Amino acid sequence: MVPKLRIAVVGGGIGGLAAALALTRKGHEVGVYEQAPELREAGVGMHLGPNGSRLLERWGLGERLRALGVRPAGMEVRDWSHGGTLVRQPMGEEWLAEFGAPYYTIHRADLHTMLAESLPSGTVRAGHRLERFTETEDGVRLEFAGGSTAGADVLIGADGAHSVVRRTLAGPDTAVFSGQSAFRGVVARDQVPGLPGDTLLVWAGPDARMLVYPVRGGRFLTFVAVVPDPRWRLESWSAPGDLDELAARFDGWNTDVKSLVAAVRESRRWALYDREPLARWSEGAVTLLGDAAHPMLPHHGQGVSQAVEDAAVLAHCLDATTGRDSSAAASASSASASASSASASAARRAIAAALDTYEDVRRPHTTRVQLGSRGGGSQRLRPDEDGAESTGTMSSLVEDVSWIQRHDAEAGLPPLPPPSPSATP
């Protein structure tokens, strides 16, 4: 089958790879341009909600998710001082029945590798740092550091919170600082045998919160320690965290937390920022996806799932730009000069309309998730709650995100037009 569109994805993170997979499954010719010299994902564990996992399962990744991810059996809120369990929320099969797809915790590198290995060989081009792009009559021209160039019918900016593509489309923005930063890392569970390998744990203290969850079959635990600190403002995923400061922050806490902190050998620290929602994501043949479109705080655990939803909707909308089996752009390249110009113009209008539809579907939803993350999640737990109060708070926390996790991004999408009469099966 002739590829429908040539699509350039800038950014080889999870969002960019998810977009590439969704689009290649539709038959498009996709190139992923990653600025790092080699494709790899750092970081620790992450949450993959049912709204994200249901899409990955449809893309054929269910077996690998089950092999590499953990489906937590439950979530517990524990007392920060004595360590006792205040409330437990069952997950596992109950959440599968409730939301229609599994909830996973998974190491970022495992999901990143899974997506990368699902793409055709040669899709990812490392060592390509985008400097600028321009729209032409033939599509979009990308210019990279070092002088190399590329052309595409569509450009997708999946280049994260510091997106070059977003800055070009929307101008400079101001990062919104939450007043908090987070230490994060991974600890082998055999170093903290008192902690379970199948449970999400939350301790809410008077001036910090500790969240712990299993990855890699429960053999490792990811920790995220959120602390208030107006002075730490470095928005970086790779800045080292001071282990002495981490220990001092949790001095006086319960034995389990102190044992966990004592087992940490390496930590990263990042200041928690987001951005105000954009009024527009798209212009012409260029659009945004994932953190480039809607960088959000981590308190709903939805960054990756929202990017996967973006990818699914974008692939559907771009599928509507052509007949099901051939691209307007490909047809234009083989026609006479005058017919080619008219066909190319029609193709550009179809692409712009498809990106407008994508934005119309996704932007209201992600804006609600993005703004809700500012005050949501474990931030609402108070250290002075007793068991009954914690039960009420836990129920409200689950209800806060149930609409997000129940969401099926592919349900109710605009129908594709019928194949063009001139399309060749």
Side-chain angles (χ1 to χ4, degrees), residues 77-82 86 203-209 253 378-386 389-390:
V77 177
R78 295 186 175 186
D79 185 87
W80 71 275
S81 58
H82 61 68
L86 300 175
W203 295 266
D207 57 0
R209 284 172 289 123
W253 283 49
S378 63
Q379 296 177 103
R380 294 178 50 192
L381 293 169
R382 301 193 310 273
D384 57 347
E385 288 184 332
D386 61 20
E389 290 174 315
S390 292

Side-chain angles (χ1 to χ4, degrees), residues 369-423:
V369 178
Q370 185 180 8
L371 295 178
S373 296
R374 290 180 172 177
S378 63
Q379 296 177 103
R380 294 178 50 192
L381 293 169
R382 301 193 310 273
D384 57 347
E385 288 184 332
D386 61 20
E389 290 174 315
S390 292
T391 299
T393 302
M394 174 71 84
S395 297
S396 68
L397 293 181
V398 173
E399 185 59 31
D400 276 352
V401 297
S402 64
W403 66 274
I404 303 174
Q405 309 211 68
R406 193 172 286 113
H407 183 65
D408 185 340
E410 292 182 326
L413 288 175
L416 292 174
S420 167
S422 61

Side-chain angles (χ1 to χ4, degrees), residues 8-12 32-36 125-134 140-152 155-159 162-169 286-288 292:
V9 178
V10 174
V32 177
Y33 298 92
E34 166 57 39
Q35 66 177 348
R125 296 93 189 259
H128 283 72
R129 179 170 61 83
L130 182 70
E131 290 194 333
R132 65 186 65 85
F133 64 88
T134 54
V140 185
R141 175 182 168 85
L142 292 76
E143 300 177 40
F144 301 98
S148 62
T149 63
L155 169 59
I156 301 168
D159 45 343
H162 301 284
S163 170
V164 173
V165 180
R166 186 186 68 232
R167 188 165 62 247
T168 302
L169 287 181
V286 183
T287 194
L288 303 172

